[in-house]
Amino acid sequence: MSSPPPPTLPRETRDTLFILGVVALVLLPQVTYLPLWASALTLSLLGWRFWLAHRNKSLPGKWPRTALLALAVGSTLMEYRSIVGLEAGVALLVLLLALKTLEMRARRDAMVIFFLCFFTLLTLFLRSQSLSMAMVILLALWGLLAALVNAHMPAGYPSLRQLLRTSGLLIVLGTPVMVLLFLGFPRWLPFWGLPSQELQGRTGLSSEIAVGQVAELAHQRSVAMRVRFDAADGSTPPQRLLYFRGPVLSEFDGRHWKAQKTNAPGRFLSGNAQPATGSAQPVGYEVFLEPHQQRWLLTLEATLTPPETAAHQLQPSADLQWLVARPVQEKLRYRAQAHLHYIYGQSLNEQQRSTHLLLPQGLNPRTLAWARQLRTQYGSDDTAIIQAALTHLRQGSYVYTLQPGTISSPHTADDFWFDRQRGFCEHIASAFAVLMRAAGIPARLVAGYQGGERNPVDGLWTVRQSDAHAWTEVWLPREGWMRIDPTSAIAPARAELLQQLPASDSLLDKTVTQVFGQQMLQRLRASWEAIDHRWNDGVLNYSPTSQDRTMQRLAPLRWNAATAVVWFGSLVVAMLCGFVWWYWRRQRQPDPWLRLMVQARRQLRRVGIVHADSLGLQTLARTAQAQWGDESQPLQQWLLQMEQWRYAPHGPQTPTLASLRRQYRALKWPRPRSP
């Protein structure tokens, strides 16, 4: 039988390189959250340690390591002004983990690195709890467990395949316990997760719009929310009515639209908003809202009754919005009903009217002059003025574009109406609102989302940041506030057919499209988003209410805190008893190979080899040859195979332990010699 090829690296070197690879896998997801200098320093430290291990060089001494530690701590202090807190603490932890590899000499150092890696993986869930992050963490956990298993197998040269198989088995065996704890462990007020400044940099709409902001959002494909409509046949409201209301902006300084500071919670429900006469039944829908760091809920216009959510107490605003007590910093699920045809704000006092007619002095003189002409031409007919402005947009040479260019002039409305004549929705809506105010018609801006994309896999509508939109509301006597979307006059497909202008694709996007094809890529994206929504809905949104429903289905008992304590106390006791039993058996028979070898040595003593317990396997084979000759050839071969399995690297020719056990049972033992 040919012997397997010798290992290319010594065991110690291979184990060190393996641990360094696992550390790199654990730290890789942190790169996107760390400053550039921290990522570069971490990569340099790991690369240096890899080179030292591969070239069998000595590790740096105490003073170089101390200098590097001072550099890491000092740089963290300079960057964050502290070494505590989420951002600074995680950055310092990553640097210390990389530094610890420079003094990894013994098994105890490796154990410290393993536990630091486990804690570093835990901090990733403070950054993101998405499905993609969970998959990355699971992969890193698999590698980390494989390195831990390798550290507990000091004898022989275990293969990577064997290590991954053993660690994968540990994950599989632990999965049922994890699922049980997830489903039934009592859930109280949330204590997991910290507000992150990083999330605030990814918010969508805000309580202020500067000309150009919504156009920037239009280049983003990230999900803002997902919507499921209640219609049994899967139908949705008319596409031209899919307006999801966000902030209402009434104050204008010439370039910025802002929400009123006095926009305190109000009661728009008491006669201030109502379904239009003869309108259809309300549309029921469910929203899965992504964190947006603001207090408002994005609701389909017009949601007149409070949305149903277990996570927040809601209050209505005076501008047809629903507000929560604190900014939305976690994924939020709520149900609501919307009246697509409604009447709102029919009464407007003098102070409110003057607020919505206010314009900055000295700006947009040509727009003001045009507004006076329209008022002179149409008299007191506000509806005719609105229609004239929309007709002007529709018949003029105006262009809807995501790249309108930089507007340096303070006269933003004049620039759109008379000079540039091109822009995105906030340019158009802002210029239209300025014209209306100049003509004596109260007007304001509303920001939100319009449209979406239906996922053919699960039927949900995905509303992205690229669906961000701004439109105008004008106030007419006896009719109240009315939504006017001037963008639809220039680009009807934007509102009617839910088409957005294509944003410029990156080189990576173009390459992926060429490799997979556009249709295949869309199917893959739709499937992934459906799976991701299942993760968000079933895992991240698993609330105490969801747990109560689950437990009621799984157990006939009335599920409460006392029942939960009894059930899971019993589960913990059972797990502890099982662990004690397993540990006792392991202490008695710690190794399946050793158990088999103990049986063989006992049998060898019976057939005449007196010192079988103290002889090595090769010595036992030679003793069998000397004592029984060629008759013992199967026994000799089996002993040598047992030695190979235990101490040589495993290869294609290496027999499995199960086959060795079968061979042992088939051995024909020689008769003991009579004294």
Side-chain angles (χ1 to χ4, degrees):
M1 182 182 65
S2 61
S3 60
T8 58
L9 291 173
R11 171 70 189 269
E12 182 180 355
T13 302
R14 190 207 68 164
D15 289 356
T16 302
L17 296 179
F18 185 34
I19 292 175
L20 292 175
V22 170
V23 171
L25 183 61
V26 169
L27 296 183
L28 184 62
Q30 298 281 2
V31 171
T32 56
Y33 304 105
L34 294 176
L36 182 59
W37 66 265
S39 300
L41 181 56
T42 302
L43 180 63
S44 301
L45 293 173
L46 291 179
W48 185 21
R49 184 63 178 91
F50 185 91
W51 180 81
L52 292 175
H54 190 264
R55 296 300 181 92
N56 199 22
K57 301 287 185 179
S58 59
L59 296 180
K62 176 181 179 181
W63 292 113
R65 296 199 309 269
T66 304
L68 289 172
L69 175 61
L71 175 63
V73 176
S75 301
T76 304
L77 279 172
M78 292 179 61
E79 176 74 24
Y80 299 103
R81 301 293 187 268
S82 174
I83 58 173
V84 297
L86 176 60
E87 301 292 336
V90 172
L92 187 58
L93 175 65
V94 169
L95 292 171
L96 293 179
L97 176 55
L99 280 171
K100 183 62 181 176
T101 62
L102 293 177
E103 59 177 15
M104 183 174 60
R105 292 183 174 87
R107 185 170 178 265
R108 65 175 181 272
D109 297 321
M111 292 300 167
V112 173
I113 288 177
F114 293 149
F115 287 114
L116 284 175
C117 286
F118 281 120
F119 189 77
T120 304
L121 283 180
L122 195 66
T123 63
L124 285 171
F125 276 129
L126 298 176
R127 306 284 197 174
S128 171
Q129 299 175 22
S130 65
L131 177 59
S132 56
M133 179 62 76
M135 295 175 65
V136 170
I137 292 177
L138 179 61
L139 179 62
L141 177 64
W142 190 10
L144 187 55
L145 286 177
L148 190 58
V149 169
N150 182 59
H152 285 82
M153 299 176 66
Y157 201 93
S159 65
L160 179 61
R161 179 180 179 182
Q162 179 185 359
L163 298 175
L164 291 176
R165 184 173 62 247
T166 304
S167 57
L169 179 61
L170 291 175
I171 294 176
V172 171
L173 293 177
T175 299
V177 178
M178 178 192 69
V179 172
L180 286 175
L181 291 176
F182 172 79
L183 290 177
F185 194 84
R187 290 174 179 260
W188 295 288
L189 293 176
F191 57 91
W192 173 259
L194 296 173
S196 172
Q197 296 297 324
E198 182 269 336
L199 283 176
Q200 297 180 7
R202 294 191 288 114
T203 56
L205 303 173
S206 67
S207 57
E208 175 181 336
I209 284 185
V211 175
Q213 180 190 21
V214 178
E216 294 173 1
L217 287 176
H219 290 281
Q220 300 180 18
R221 292 283 298 172
S222 57
V223 176
M225 60 181 174
R226 293 181 173 91
V227 183
R228 176 188 288 121
F229 292 98
D230 291 348
D233 57 358
S235 60
T236 61
Q239 296 178 349
R240 59 185 175 83
L241 297 179
L242 290 179
Y243 285 86
F244 297 93
R245 191 180 187 89
V248 179
L249 313 173
S250 303
E251 296 183 358
F252 181 59
D253 62 3
R255 183 174 294 273
H256 300 83
W257 288 89
K258 302 178 182 179
Q260 281 184 275
K261 297 179 181 179
T262 57
N263 186 18
R267 291 191 56 83
F268 63 77
L269 303 180
S270 57
N272 208 14
Q274 58 187 2
T277 303
S279 63
Q281 292 295 322
V283 175
Y285 64 100
E286 187 174 22
V287 176
F288 305 87
L289 182 65
E290 295 292 319
H292 60 66
Q293 308 301 313
Q294 304 292 341
R295 291 183 55 205
W296 57 73
L297 298 185
L298 290 161
T299 54
L300 187 64
E301 289 188 329
T303 300
L304 306 182
T305 56
E308 300 174 7
T309 175
H312 295 271
Q313 293 183 349
L314 305 182
Q315 53 186 355
S317 79
D319 289 329
L320 205 59
Q321 296 172 298
W322 288 100
L323 306 176
V324 293
R326 61 181 187 274
V328 179
Q329 296 181 341
E330 69 282 341
K331 298 178 186 294
L332 186 60
R333 175 180 180 177
Y334 50 92
R335 295 186 57 84
Q337 290 185 331
H339 293 270
L340 302 182
H341 301 280
Y342 58 94
I343 300 174
Y344 163 56
Q346 291 175 286
S347 60
L348 202 66
N349 59 42
E350 195 60 35
Q351 181 181 358
Q352 293 172 329
R353 180 180 176 85
S354 61
T355 298
H356 293 94
L357 289 175
L358 186 63
L359 289 172
Q361 295 292 329
L363 296 182
N364 304 300
R366 289 178 289 176
T367 302
L368 269 62
W370 181 29
R372 288 193 292 269
Q373 293 178 7
L374 291 174
R375 178 58 70 184
T376 301
Q377 180 178 357
Y378 295 102
S380 60
D381 193 345
D382 293 344
T383 303
I385 295 175
I386 296 171
Q387 291 301 324
L390 292 175
T391 301
H392 183 80
L393 282 172
R394 193 176 298 113
Q395 297 178 355
S397 56
Y398 294 94
V399 177
Y400 172 69
T401 176
L402 292 181
Q403 291 86 25
T406 303
I407 301 177
S408 58
S409 171
H411 309 289
T412 56
D414 284 358
D415 182 88
F416 173 77
W417 285 116
F418 304 103
D419 299 329
R420 196 179 303 266
Q421 296 188 346
R422 55 191 292 117
F424 193 55
C425 59
E426 84 275 18
H427 301 88
I428 305 169
S430 175
F432 190 86
V434 170
L435 178 64
M436 293 298 103
R437 288 191 175 189
I441 302 174
R444 62 189 183 187
L445 256 61
V446 180
Y449 297 90
Q450 199 272 328
E453 177 183 6
R454 186 180 184 275
N455 190 321
V457 177
D458 56 11
L460 268 70
W461 282 79
T462 301
V463 181
R464 307 180 186 278
Q465 298 295 354
S466 56
D467 297 308
H469 195 50
W471 58 92
T472 307
E473 281 189 339
V474 298
W475 186 84
L476 298 177
R478 297 182 301 278
E479 297 184 36
W481 289 107
M482 296 180 57
R483 179 179 63 238
I484 303 293
D485 190 353
T487 302
S488 62
I490 300 176
R494 173 62 182 87
E496 298 289 339
L497 303 178
L498 305 183
Q499 296 177 358
Q500 298 87 25
L501 292 178
S504 57
D505 292 333
S506 63
L507 179 61
L508 178 61
D509 294 334
K510 294 179 180 178
T511 304
V512 173
T513 303
Q514 291 176 357
V515 172
F516 292 98
Q518 186 66 33
Q519 292 184 351
M520 176 62 72
L521 190 61
Q522 289 178 352
R523 286 197 295 269
L524 291 174
R525 182 184 291 118
S527 300
W528 169 257
E529 290 182 349
I531 296 172
D532 184 63
H533 170 70
R534 288 292 185 182
W535 168 267
N536 294 336
D537 187 32
V539 177
L540 301 186
N541 287 327
Y542 189 68
S543 62
T545 303
S546 303
Q547 184 186 55
D548 185 66
R549 290 197 300 264
T550 302
M551 292 299 104
Q552 292 293 345
R553 289 196 297 266
L554 294 179
L557 303 175
R558 181 176 178 83
W559 193 259
N560 51 37
T563 309
V565 171
V566 172
W567 274 82
F568 285 95
S570 304
L571 177 63
V572 170
V573 171
M575 291 173 59
L576 288 175
C577 293
F579 175 77
V580 170
W581 175 80
W582 169 83
Y583 185 76
W584 175 76
R585 286 204 59 184
R586 186 183 178 194
Q587 289 299 107
R588 290 189 61 194
Q589 298 175 335
D591 190 331
W593 181 91
L594 189 59
R595 289 199 303 269
L596 183 58
M597 204 60 234
V598 167
Q599 296 178 27
R601 290 180 186 275
R602 187 182 301 120
Q603 183 63 27
L604 286 170
R605 285 200 313 271
R606 292 195 188 105
V607 297
I609 300 180
V610 179
H611 302 291
D613 289 343
S614 59
L615 298 179
L617 296 182
Q618 292 188 17
T619 305
L620 282 173
R622 289 194 297 268
T623 303
Q625 171 66 26
Q627 192 160 343
W628 296 297
D630 293 340
E631 181 185 358
S632 64
Q633 190 64 34
L635 173 60
Q636 298 174 44
Q637 184 178 1
W638 183 83
L639 290 170
L640 295 177
Q641 286 181 336
M642 287 288 287
E643 182 184 49
Q644 175 191 350
W645 190 94
R646 185 68 168 185
Y647 300 109
H650 288 200
Q653 303 300 326
T654 304
T656 63
L657 192 59
S659 66
L660 289 173
R661 192 177 292 111
R662 288 193 298 269
Q663 292 178 31
Y664 172 76
R665 297 193 188 102
L667 286 176
K668 295 182 178 180
W669 297 90
R671 292 180 179 275
R673 292 184 177 182
S674 58

